[in-house]
């Protein structure tokens, strides 16, 4: 049964709801649809499943892009209603004829919807009955064919037996035909002769042996000059092996050997490594510097898209027709018109390291948002598609909620508790190094920081974090190796409360997304300590693997947590951003798959090399 059907504008104004249904929806499925689908540019999907407040709904939608209307149907997931798509299409067609931007109430649409609903249900019932009838007919035909096959098999067996016994039962002509096909052309027939399949004798090739290849012909072909076989044999001949380069003798001289470069921390004469060393980084962190993006026109890219899409447009409408539409405007955009331009944009996104699945979904969403719109005057389809894609990318990469760490740190300080940040991620992405960069940035803002060495799994992890703590002159809480990281983090937070530290940065062990024991330990750490921020540290050059990493991390944290509302990833820290040139697509893939914003970007080896993600710069690079 249909629970609800709503019609509202893209601005959020509800124009009409079905009063006949009158079912109060549990939870807020419409808000979840807007937040998780429409704002995240997932409108190319066919449906959305909502679970919350003890209810499970399926939501389907359609757009009228020219009028800016959204039509949404909500029904119980277990029902699998077949007529919802047809009903939405009919409601969209009828309501668009009544719609007036100046009107707010549409009570006169109730009777129209009642008739449309009855028509859609009747059509679905007829379709269901026709499918059942077709299935019954097909099953009866199968049974009849099986019976006929069984009867034919039994009759054929009897005939074969009679033929082998040599009795003349009317099949003599067919037996003669089979014998003639086998090459017995002498006209004589024996009674007990078995009928055999035709066998290749090899006489067609001129050889005396059965099925043998005539080698003499091949030798004659090879002996004749100018044949292709010579060229083939020359091609297949093995190249001569190259001579190995001999190693030159080293020339030894009496010049003194250069002093070995030593970058280790200086220690005192007693070998005490606990001496604090001031960091060599002097200057302001790049987090506090604003990056300026030049606003140059992208006419060259638009021309490139137009050129690549022009042949397909010419095949359908011709040059004059497409030029006339761009001048006069008012042309209704169809899906076939958008496909060439969106294909070029998809290929461009994939060359910038965006996952193929994400690029495909983005193009489907842009197509759904443009289909049915009128093309403006002096506007090309390629530029319209590119502008829509640019707006979609800006909406995706712009954080949906404000996460101001410095503000949240001061708010937690007023409550008398430290602000806890947990760094998670796969092996070798640079969690400890970028944790130190975040600590350096917080120190510049007069925030007291303490590190917690909760990577009790990897050898050398505690020593690495201890080195960063010495260089930054901040305290570190450690318990060594082979300890429960959840307990170590809890004791570190308690120590921070006693020492009045403002922030606790928790370093965890790197783990692959499919390593269940380590993922269970991470889920326990997050559940037991309830951190203020969970940062996923990922490489900017992973490409398609970013989707798998983030989706499985979130899935494991949700499945293995004992809490009814488990904590998932809150933000992303992208490392090695200075090594990818313009391949910045991993940022888009990670944000799209998780919904979490990119809060930090690591772009170098020093403590100052940490900056914010410039959304406009990323969008410009992706579409360049």
């Amino acid at each position: 049964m249909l629970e609800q059907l709503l019609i509202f504008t893209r601005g959020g104004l509800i124009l009409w709801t079905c009063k006949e249904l009158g079912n109060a929806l549990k939870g807020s499925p419409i808000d979840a649809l807007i937040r998780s689908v429409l704002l995240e540019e997932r409108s190319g999907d066919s449906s959305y499943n909502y679970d919350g407040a003890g209810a499970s709904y399926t939501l389907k939608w359609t757009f009228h892009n020219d009028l800016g209307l959204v039509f949404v149907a909500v029904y119980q997931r277990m029902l699998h209603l077949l007529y919802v798509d047809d009903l939405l299409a009919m409601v969209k067609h009828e309501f668009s004829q009544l719609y007036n931007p100046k009107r707010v109430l549409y009570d006169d649409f109730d009777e129209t919807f009642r008739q449309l609903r009855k028509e859609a249900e009747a059509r679905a019932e007829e379709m269901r009955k026709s499918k059942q009838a077709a299935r019954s007919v097909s099953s009866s035909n199968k049974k009849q064919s099986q019976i006929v096959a069984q009867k034919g098999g039994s009759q054929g067996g009897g005939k074969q037996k009679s033929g082998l016994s040599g009795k003349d039962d009317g099949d003599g002509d067919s037996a003669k035909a089979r014998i003639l096909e086998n090459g017995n052309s002498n006209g004589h027939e024996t009674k007990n002769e078995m009928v055999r399949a035709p066998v290749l004798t090899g006489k067609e090739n001129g050889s005396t042996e059965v099925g043998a290849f005539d080698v003499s012909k091949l030798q004659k072909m090879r002996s004749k000059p100018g044949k292709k076989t010579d060229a083939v044999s020359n091609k297949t001949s093995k190249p001569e092996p190259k001579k190995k380069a001999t190693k030159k003798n080293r020339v030894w001289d009496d010049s003194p050997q250069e002093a070995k470069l030593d970058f280790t921390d200086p220690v005192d004469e007693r070998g005490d490594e606990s001496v604090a060393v001031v960091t060599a980084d002097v200057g302001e962190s790049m987090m506090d510097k604003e990056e300026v993006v030049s606003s140059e026109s992208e006419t060259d890219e638009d021309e490139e898209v137009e050129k690549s899409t022009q042949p397909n447009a010419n095949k359908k409408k011709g040059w004059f027709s497409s030029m006339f539409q761009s001048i006069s405007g008012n042309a209704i955009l169809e899906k076939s018109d958008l496909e060439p331009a969106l294909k070029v944009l998809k290929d461009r996104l994939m060359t910038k390291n965006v996952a193929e699945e994400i690029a495909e979904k983005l193009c489907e969403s842009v197509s759904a948002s443009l289909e049915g719109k009128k093309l403006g005057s002096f506007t090309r389809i390629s530029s319209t598609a590119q502008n829509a894609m640019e707006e979609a990318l800006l909406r995706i990469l712009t954080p949906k909620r404000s996460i101001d760490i410095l503000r949240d740190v001061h708010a937690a300080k007023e409550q008398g508790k430290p602000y806890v940040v947990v760094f998670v991620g796969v092996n070798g992405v640079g969690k400890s190094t970028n944790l130190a960069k975040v600590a350096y940035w917080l120190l510049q803002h007069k925030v007291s920081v303490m590190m917690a060495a909760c990577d009790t799994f990897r050898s050398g992890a505690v020593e690495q974090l201890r080195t960063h703590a010495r260089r930054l002159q901040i305290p570190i809480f450690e318990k060594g190796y082979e300890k429960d990281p959840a307990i170590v983090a809890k004791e570190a937070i308690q120590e921070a409360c006693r020492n009045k530290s403002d922030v606790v940065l928790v370093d965890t062990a790197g783990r692959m997304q499919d390593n269940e024991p380590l993922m269970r330990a991470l889920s326990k750490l997050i559940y037991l300590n309830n951190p203020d921020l969970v940062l996923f540290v990922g490489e900017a050059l992973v490409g398609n693997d970013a989707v798998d990493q983030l989706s499985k991390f979130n899935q494991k944290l949700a499945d293995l947590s004992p809490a009814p509302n488990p904590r998932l990833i809150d933000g992303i820290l992208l490392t090695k951003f200075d090594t990818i040139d313009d391949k910045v697509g991993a940022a888009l893939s990670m944000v799209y798959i998780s919904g979490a914003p990119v809060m930090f970007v690591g772009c170098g080896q020093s403590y100052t090399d940490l900056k914010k993600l410039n959304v406009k710069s990323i969008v410009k690079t992706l579409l360049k």
Side-chain angles (χ1 to χ4, degrees):
M1 178 180 178
L2 193 66
E3 295 290 327
Q4 190 56 266
L5 195 141
L6 297 89
I7 304 174
F8 55 91
T9 65
R10 287 196 178 265
L13 177 62
I14 297 178
L15 299 176
W16 181 84
T17 58
C18 183
K19 300 174 182 177
E20 180 184 353
L21 298 174
N23 296 325
L25 299 177
K26 297 180 181 180
S28 54
I30 303 298
D31 294 341
L33 175 70
I34 295 173
R35 184 172 57 253
S36 302
V37 176
L38 303 185
L39 294 180
E40 292 286 342
E41 289 299 328
R42 303 175 192 269
S43 55
D45 298 337
S46 59
S47 62
Y48 171 70
N49 293 328
Y50 171 80
D51 292 312
S56 297
Y57 296 118
T58 296
L59 289 83
K60 290 193 173 184
W61 61 91
T62 186
F63 302 117
H64 197 300
N65 292 311
D66 190 25
L67 301 179
L69 302 178
V70 184
F71 304 82
V72 181
V74 186
Y75 60 93
Q76 293 286 345
R77 190 186 305 176
M78 64 179 69
L79 297 180
H80 301 289
L81 301 182
L82 302 177
Y83 62 88
V84 174
D85 293 329
D86 292 339
L87 179 62
L88 283 174
M90 291 189 292
V91 169
K92 172 183 172 181
H93 179 265
E94 294 295 332
F95 190 84
S96 61
Q97 297 179 357
L98 296 176
Y99 178 68
N100 187 349
K102 298 180 180 179
R103 288 183 60 183
V104 179
L105 299 177
Y106 291 88
D107 295 335
D108 54 341
F109 191 68
D110 294 344
E111 183 63 28
T112 304
F113 173 74
R114 191 179 297 110
Q115 296 176 359
L116 294 177
R117 182 186 174 192
K118 290 180 180 178
E119 182 180 348
E121 290 178 348
R123 190 179 302 174
E125 184 67 20
E126 291 179 0
M127 188 179 300
R128 186 181 64 84
K129 290 180 179 179
S130 62
K131 286 183 178 179
Q132 289 180 352
R135 288 176 184 173
S136 60
V137 170
S138 62
S139 60
S140 62
N141 290 337
K142 285 182 180 179
K143 290 181 179 178
Q144 292 179 0
S145 62
Q146 290 176 359
I147 294 171
V148 171
Q150 291 176 359
K151 290 182 178 179
S154 61
Q155 293 176 359
K159 290 181 179 180
Q160 186 177 3
K161 289 180 182 178
S162 61
L164 290 175
S165 62
K167 294 180 180 179
D168 189 7
D169 53 356
D171 290 339
D173 294 335
S174 62
K176 290 180 181 179
R178 287 195 294 271
I179 293 171
L180 289 174
E181 287 177 359
N182 291 327
N184 298 329
S185 58
N186 51 6
H188 297 286
E189 181 181 4
T190 57
K191 291 184 178 181
N192 296 327
E193 184 177 3
M194 295 290 291
V195 178
R196 298 181 180 179
V199 179
L200 294 175
T201 60
K203 293 181 179 180
E204 294 82 2
N205 295 329
S207 63
T208 56
E209 295 180 5
V210 177
F213 185 79
D214 192 356
V215 184
S216 60
K217 279 190 175 183
L218 181 60
Q219 292 176 350
K220 291 179 181 179
M221 292 171 65
R222 286 183 176 177
S223 62
K224 293 180 181 180
K227 291 292 183 178
K228 292 183 179 180
T229 54
D230 298 335
V232 173
S233 62
N234 291 333
K235 287 182 180 179
T236 56
S237 60
K238 295 182 179 180
E240 296 181 358
K242 296 181 180 179
K243 295 182 179 180
K244 294 183 179 180
T246 57
K247 186 177 180 180
K248 296 181 180 180
N249 296 328
R250 179 175 294 178
V251 179
W252 299 94
D253 54 5
D254 298 332
S255 59
Q257 187 177 2
E258 295 182 359
K260 183 179 179 182
L261 297 177
D262 186 6
F263 293 101
T264 58
D265 295 335
V267 296
D268 59 356
E269 296 178 356
R270 296 170 296 175
D272 186 7
E273 296 183 359
S274 61
V275 178
V277 180
V278 181
T279 177
D281 294 292
V282 178
E284 187 182 4
S285 175
M286 297 176 68
M287 278 289 296
D288 301 319
K289 297 179 181 179
E290 294 293 335
E291 185 177 354
V292 180
V293 182
S294 60
S295 57
E296 298 177 357
S297 61
E298 301 293 341
T299 55
D300 295 338
E301 286 93 10
D302 292 345
E303 291 177 1
E304 179 185 349
V305 176
E306 184 69 22
K307 287 177 182 178
S308 58
T309 58
Q310 192 65 36
N312 292 331
N314 290 341
K315 290 180 182 179
K316 184 178 180 183
K317 300 179 180 179
W319 179 84
F320 180 78
S321 177
S322 60
M323 181 60 70
F324 178 75
Q325 284 186 356
S326 65
I327 295 175
S328 62
N330 297 329
I332 303 298
L333 291 176
E334 298 178 359
K335 190 173 183 179
S336 57
D337 301 328
L338 296 167
E339 283 179 355
L342 291 177
K343 185 180 184 303
V344 174
L345 291 175
K346 177 187 172 183
D347 295 340
R348 185 180 297 174
L349 290 174
M350 290 175 62
T351 58
K352 298 301 172 64
N353 218 12
V354 178
E356 182 180 2
E357 176 187 356
I358 306 301
E360 181 70 28
K361 289 184 177 180
L362 275 172
C363 291
E364 291 176 359
S365 179
V366 171
S367 176
S369 64
L370 290 178
E371 189 177 352
K373 270 191 174 182
K374 291 182 179 179
L375 188 66
S377 302
F378 298 97
T379 306
R380 295 175 299 184
I381 295 177
S382 60
S383 59
T384 303
Q386 177 146 340
N387 292 335
M389 180 65 75
E390 184 176 354
E391 293 176 1
L393 295 180
L394 285 172
R395 280 195 297 270
I396 293 172
L397 292 173
T398 303
K400 305 302 178 294
R401 62 187 183 93
S402 176
I403 302 179
D404 191 341
I405 293 182
L406 296 176
R407 180 196 62 192
D408 296 341
V409 166
H410 290 294
K413 187 177 181 180
E414 292 177 357
Q415 298 177 5
K417 62 178 184 178
Y419 187 83
V420 182
V421 183
V422 175
F423 292 76
V424 302
V426 299
N427 309 79
V429 295
K431 290 185 297 299
S432 302
T433 304
N434 286 274
L435 181 148
K437 293 180 183 179
V438 174
Y440 180 79
W441 170 67
L442 292 172
L443 289 175
Q444 287 192 322
H445 289 273
K446 309 302 180 183
V447 176
S448 59
V449 182
M450 187 182 78
M451 295 182 179
C454 296
D455 186 355
T456 61
F457 184 76
R458 178 175 64 90
S459 301
V462 177
E463 287 79 6
Q464 180 185 5
L465 205 65
R466 190 187 302 157
T467 302
H468 288 303
R470 277 205 324 272
R471 289 180 175 274
L472 296 174
Q473 297 183 350
I474 60 177
I476 179 173
F477 186 88
E478 56 173 291
K479 285 290 186 179
Y481 297 98
E482 298 184 359
K483 302 293 191 300
D484 189 351
I487 303 301
V488 176
K490 185 176 182 179
E491 294 178 357
I493 296 172
Q494 294 173 354
E495 182 69 19
C497 291
R498 289 191 292 268
N499 296 337
K500 303 299 181 182
S501 296
D502 298 332
V503 178
V504 179
L505 302 180
V506 180
D507 185 28
T508 62
R511 64 206 75 209
M512 297 305 294
Q513 59 269 23
D514 52 359
N515 190 331
E516 185 166 341
L518 289 179
M519 289 301 300
R520 190 179 297 276
L522 179 62
S523 179
K524 178 184 176 183
L525 186 149
I526 295 175
Y527 170 72
L528 190 62
N529 297 282
N530 191 22
D532 298 281
L533 186 66
V534 180
L535 273 182
F536 179 85
V537 184
E539 289 182 340
L541 42 83
V542 290
N544 291 340
D545 197 35
V547 176
D548 186 63
Q549 288 179 6
L550 262 174
S551 59
K552 286 189 177 179
F553 250 84
N554 267 334
Q555 188 65 38
K556 288 292 183 181
L557 290 178
D559 294 342
L560 301 176
S561 176
N565 296 319
R567 285 289 303 278
L568 302 179
I569 293 169
D570 300 317
I572 300 169
L573 194 158
L574 275 180
T575 65
K576 307 175 185 177
F577 208 74
D578 55 325
T579 64
I580 58 172
D581 194 21
D582 62 343
K583 312 292 185 183
V584 296
L588 177 64
S589 299
M590 288 184 172
V591 173
Y592 187 90
I593 202 66
S594 66
V598 177
M599 302 181 60
F600 301 99
V601 173
C603 55
Q605 299 296 323
S606 62
Y607 291 142
T608 59
D609 294 331
L610 189 74
K611 63 180 182 180
K612 298 177 183 177
L613 182 73
N614 194 312
V615 174
K616 293 183 179 179
S617 175
I618 295 297
V619 173
K620 181 180 177 182
T621 305
L622 287 172
L623 296 179
K624 183 169 63 175

